[in-house]
Structure formats: structure tokens, C-alpha cells
Amino acid sequence: MIRRAIIEDIPQIVKVENSCFPVPWPDFLFKAHLNNPGFVVYEKEKEILGYAIIGDSERKAHLQNIAVHPDLRRQGIGTELLEWCIDLVKLYGYHEIVLEVREKNIGSQAFYAHRGFEIRGTVESYYVDDNAIIMGKNI
């Protein structure tokens, strides 16, 4: 099930984060998002399998972070989280959603493209070790 993140979830969220990214977010960044209604977790049997954080950037919905534990990918969890985020931002009246993805992360780019996102640009050295591809979708 998808539900809002709470403080007790942070250790499991960090565990997922650390398993997914070469330069993971530290726990204090997740704690800073706890009041955000767009910070959600995907939980099954009291285990956090994934999470998403959607916020606002220049009047556009901004998918700030989304992750599913590597052992549990390709089971629809990421799609459910992304669809939940899109439904939330529609409810808030947004008409566009944007995100950044590593230039080297072809798999994630394909995931978003398959769900209607288009490449909108690049940002050099956005990540410590990579450029970012900006992707967006009108909703």
C-alpha cells in the first residue's frame, strides 16, 4: 500500500536509498520532507519497498526522488508510486510534472519515456559524477 511517510520510516527509506544510488541522500534530507504531503512510501507487510517525493518547482510538479529496492523492481511498484504522484499533483491543479535523471541511467530514462515523459534538456554536472537529463510530462 502507498501511504505518507512518517519519521519511523526513515531508517528503511535510507536503506532503500543506499541500495539504489551511488550518491545517496542522507537521512536529514528525508526528515526535512516529512511535512510534505507528497512524500510517500510503498509498504508491504511492514517493510518499505520504495518511496517517492513530489514537490513544487517553479509552478511545476517536481518528482524530487523515487526509488524501489533493486531486488523488487519490475513488479509495478515504481509505476504505482509514479501514478500516485501524478494523481496527487492533478488534485493540486498542476498541469506538468518534471524530473531529473542521470544521463548514464538509460533504464530509468526508458521507464519514464514509456510513461509519457519526454526529454526537455540537460544539466551539466548536476550530479557529483554525472549530468542530468530533464524529463517532463504534461498532465
Side-chain angles (χ1 to χ4, degrees):
M1 91 172 156
I2 295 174
R3 62 167 175 77
R4 280 197 55 188
I6 58 174
I7 189 74
E8 290 81 8
D9 297 330
I10 298 297
Q12 286 190 62
I13 291 167
V14 169
K15 183 179 174 184
V16 171
E17 174 79 1
N18 290 341
S19 70
C20 292
F21 299 109
V23 183
W25 282 17
D27 66 343
F28 72 85
L29 286 179
F30 293 107
K31 290 175 183 174
H33 284 279
L34 283 172
N35 289 328
N36 175 351
F39 182 11
V40 295
V41 295
Y42 187 102
E43 179 185 51
K44 184 175 182 182
E45 298 174 5
K46 298 187 180 185
E47 184 177 352
I48 305 300
L49 309 180
Y51 66 87
I53 302 173
I54 188 95
D56 178 272
S57 177
E58 300 175 4
R59 294 186 212 122
K60 298 175 189 170
H62 181 221
L63 185 62
Q64 297 170 324
N65 206 342
I66 187 169
V68 174
H69 192 283
D71 296 341
L72 302 165
R73 292 183 182 156
R74 300 194 180 274
Q75 297 180 27
I77 296 168
T79 299
E80 283 187 53
L81 283 164
L82 183 60
E83 289 174 355
W84 189 96
C85 289
I86 291 170
D87 288 345
L88 178 70
V89 298
K90 282 181 184 176
L91 182 69
Y92 277 84
Y94 289 88
H95 300 287
E96 183 178 11
I97 183 171
V98 295
L99 59 91
E100 298 84 20
V101 62
R102 289 175 175 275
E103 188 173 57
K104 297 173 188 171
N105 192 342
I106 305 302
S108 289
Q109 291 174 46
F111 170 82
Y112 295 119
H114 184 71
R115 285 148 187 87
F117 285 78
E118 300 171 333
I119 294 175
R120 303 247 171 108
T122 60
V123 179
E124 297 289 321
S125 302
Y126 181 84
Y127 299 100
V128 172
D129 59 349
D130 200 1
N131 300 325
I133 301 294
I134 300 168
M135 299 184 80
K137 176 180 179 168
N138 295 330
I139 51 175

